[in-house]
């Protein structure tokens, strides 16, 4: 199993990235603020428009360090990618199987089934820790039924319908999981583009981080993150990363957002209203969330399939590796990640 290195997050919008030897240099108005050896990081995510020098981009590509650009609000712009690496035969197999409707449906059912089961686990954990709640208990039962329906679906259209219904059930009771600051952090369902409340703003931000990590993990094992099985092909969209992140949303994303609210690490003052129905995070809020995200990634868990202790931050890599093994027919099936 590979070693987990840090991801460098640049949250200053005016920051410019360049290289000095084997170091990444962060500057504002030509004044150096920070530098770090390239071998100490596995990825760079920058929130701004100033960009990076061609030399820095080449340094990243030569050292297999992913470089991603986001808007200051956390919307994905692009990833800089070097020469395609990995086994060309694996990618050829991936492309062939992505056109096989039976294989695509099978994997999609596993991705979405894992998403539903992990969402249910979030609710079950709430009930264990906080006692009976009729609405949440009802949602758990509905999600259990949704899982059965998903595994029995015979078309992608039906699967997407079941996924939507399950998501409505889960997010319909998500507000119950907010135990503190309830008057400041109200949640009336999932929305995005733009997020209409503070909770949705954080969820969208964290989901972007997960998608970026999954895309980098897929690339590192030799798979093409842009060719998926459920999400349709679209120029510039990492469809396979969006497929695989479904099973990781609840565990990596939802738990983090709930934790940061319930522990009062953020408050209503950490958000800015834009227009009548849009909320964005302040720089301090984004930094707090990224700091918590980095700490969370270093926590150790035992992978339910590999039976190895790994940092949470390596979950995307572990799942990408298992998917590659399945596509190569080294495994009989893809072992989706399920929370314990």
């Amino acid at each position: 199993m590979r070693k987990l290195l840090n991801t460098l997050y640049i949250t200053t919008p005016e920051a410019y990235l360049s290289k000095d030897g084997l170091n990444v240099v962060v500057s504002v108005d030509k004044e150096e603020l920070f530098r770090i050896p390239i071998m100490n990081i596995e990825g760079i995510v920058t929130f701004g428009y100033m960009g990076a020098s061609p030399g820095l981009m080449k340094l990243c590509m030569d050292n297999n360090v992913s470089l991603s650009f986001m808007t200051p609000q956390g919307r994905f712009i692009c990833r800089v990618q070097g020469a395609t690496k990995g086994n060309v035969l694996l990618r050829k197999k991936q492309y062939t199987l992505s056109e096989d409707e039976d294989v695509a449906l099978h994997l999609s059912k596993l991705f979405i089934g894992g998403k539903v089961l992990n969402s249910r686990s979030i609710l079950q954990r709430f009930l264990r820790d906080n006692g009976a709640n009729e609405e949440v208990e009802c949602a758990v039962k509905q999600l259990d039924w949704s899982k059965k329906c998903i595994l029995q679906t015979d078309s992608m259209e039906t699967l997407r319908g079941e996924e939507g219904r399950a998501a409505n059930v889960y997010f319909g009771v998500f507000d119950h999981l907010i135990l503190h600051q309830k008057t400041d952090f109200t949640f009336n369902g999932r929305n995005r583009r733009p997020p209409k409340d503070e909770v949705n703003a954080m969820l969208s931000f964290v989901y972007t981080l997960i998608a970026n990590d999954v895309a980098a993990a897929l690339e590192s094992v030799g798979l093409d993150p842009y060719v998926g099985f459920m999400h349709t092909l679209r120029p510039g969209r990492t469809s396979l990363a969006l497929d695989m992140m479904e099973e990781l949303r609840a565990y990596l994303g939802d738990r983090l957002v709930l934790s940061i609210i319930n522990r009062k690490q953020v408050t209503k003052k950490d958000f800015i209203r834009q227009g009548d129905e849009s909320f964005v995070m302040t720089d301090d809020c984004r930094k707090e969330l990224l700091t918590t995200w980095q700490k969370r990634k270093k926590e150790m868990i035992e992978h339910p399939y590999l039976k190895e202790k790994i940092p949470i931050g390596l979950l995307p890599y572990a799942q990408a590796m298992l998917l590659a093994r399945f596509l190569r027919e080294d495994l009989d099936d893809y072992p989706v990640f399920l929370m314990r």
Side-chain angles (χ1 to χ4, degrees):
M1 183 65 68
R2 62 183 280 188
K3 180 181 179 181
L4 176 67
L5 297 176
N6 282 329
T7 299
L8 176 62
Y9 294 100
I10 310 298
T11 59
T12 304
E14 300 81 14
Y16 181 73
L17 306 179
S18 60
K19 89 175 191 76
D20 181 14
L22 295 177
N23 295 297
V24 177
V25 179
V26 182
S27 304
V28 173
D29 294 331
K30 298 183 179 182
E31 180 179 348
E32 180 179 324
L33 299 182
F34 177 79
R35 68 168 52 208
I36 186 172
I38 191 71
M39 68 280 295
N40 289 348
I41 56 178
E42 65 178 5
I44 301 174
V45 180
T46 179
F47 299 85
Y49 298 111
M50 295 302 293
S53 71
L56 185 278
M57 294 181 188
K58 184 177 186 302
L59 181 67
C60 290
M61 299 310 103
D62 290 345
N63 289 273
N64 298 321
V65 173
S66 64
L67 175 59
S68 302
F69 295 91
M70 311 281 185
T71 69
Q73 292 74 38
R75 290 283 300 277
F76 177 79
I77 299 174
C78 69
R79 292 177 67 242
V80 177
Q81 181 175 317
T84 299
K85 300 177 178 64
N87 188 340
V88 67
L89 298 179
L90 173 60
R91 292 204 175 202
K92 185 177 181 181
K93 189 69 173 292
Q94 175 190 356
Y95 300 149
T96 299
L97 293 178
S98 70
E99 300 292 333
D100 186 316
E101 293 183 0
D102 291 335
V103 173
L105 180 60
H106 174 73
L107 280 172
S108 298
K109 286 158 65 172
L110 292 178
F111 293 140
I112 301 306
K115 174 184 180 180
V116 170
L117 285 177
N118 288 331
S119 298
R120 187 188 66 171
S121 293
I122 294 284
L123 302 184
Q124 289 176 317
R125 181 174 180 174
F126 167 81
L127 293 172
R128 288 195 303 269
D129 293 344
N130 298 281
N133 182 298
E134 185 176 348
E135 290 185 54
V136 176
E137 290 170 354
C138 180
V140 168
K141 293 178 181 178
Q142 290 183 64
L143 290 178
D144 191 48
W145 176 253
S146 291
K147 180 261 299 183
K148 297 176 182 177
C149 293
I150 285 168
L151 296 180
Q152 294 173 1
T153 54
D154 56 5
S155 72
M156 200 69 75
E157 182 180 0
T158 304
L159 175 61
R160 291 192 176 98
E162 293 293 344
E163 177 195 14
R165 280 188 283 274
N168 287 336
V169 169
Y170 172 62
F171 284 118
V173 296
F174 197 78
D175 188 62
H176 290 279
L177 311 187
I178 299 173
L179 303 176
H180 302 288
Q181 307 186 86
K182 290 187 72 71
T183 56
D184 290 338
F185 290 91
T186 57
F187 184 84
N188 296 311
R190 181 76 180 114
N191 54 69
R192 52 182 183 153
R193 297 180 185 173
K196 297 180 180 180
D197 57 60
E198 297 88 348
V199 181
N200 273 292
M202 286 190 286
L203 286 174
S204 293
F205 183 78
V206 174
Y207 290 163
T208 300
L209 297 178
I210 298 172
N212 187 65
D213 282 1
V214 173
L218 290 166
E219 178 73 26
S220 72
V221 302
L223 290 170
D224 188 338
Y226 292 89
V227 179
F229 296 93
M230 179 175 176
H231 287 84
T232 55
L233 299 182
R234 184 183 300 170
R237 180 163 80 171
T238 53
S239 296
L240 184 56
L242 297 178
D243 286 351
M244 179 172 285
M245 73 171 286
E246 296 292 2
E247 64 192 89
L248 302 176
R249 283 178 185 266
Y251 185 71
L252 295 182
D254 301 352
R255 286 182 60 183
L256 180 72
V257 170
L258 288 169
S259 174
I260 205 170
I261 294 173
N262 288 330
R263 292 180 180 178
K264 301 181 181 179
Q265 292 174 254
V266 297
T267 68
K268 194 175 184 65
K269 296 179 180 179
D270 290 312
F271 297 84
I272 301 171
R273 180 188 291 270
Q274 289 190 335
D276 295 331
E277 296 185 338
S278 177
F279 285 83
V280 297
M281 296 180 289
T282 63
D283 289 345
D284 288 341
C285 179
R286 189 161 52 246
K287 290 176 182 177
E288 180 66 33
L289 198 152
L290 288 171
T291 299
T292 305
W293 170 252
Q294 287 282 57
K295 290 179 180 178
R296 166 81 168 146
K297 288 167 71 172
K298 294 178 181 178
E299 295 176 11
M300 301 295 292
I301 61 165
E302 181 176 295
H303 192 280
Y305 178 81
L306 297 173
K307 303 302 181 184
E308 295 180 25
K309 286 191 174 182
I310 64 171
I312 287 176
L314 285 186
L315 262 181
Y317 172 79
Q319 294 309 119
M321 179 183 65
L322 292 171
L323 179 61
R325 289 181 183 178
F326 168 67
L327 297 180
R328 287 196 302 261
E329 299 183 11
D330 295 334
L331 294 176
D332 293 333
D333 208 344
Y334 169 64
V336 67
F337 173 77
L338 298 176
M339 293 171 53
R340 289 184 173 180

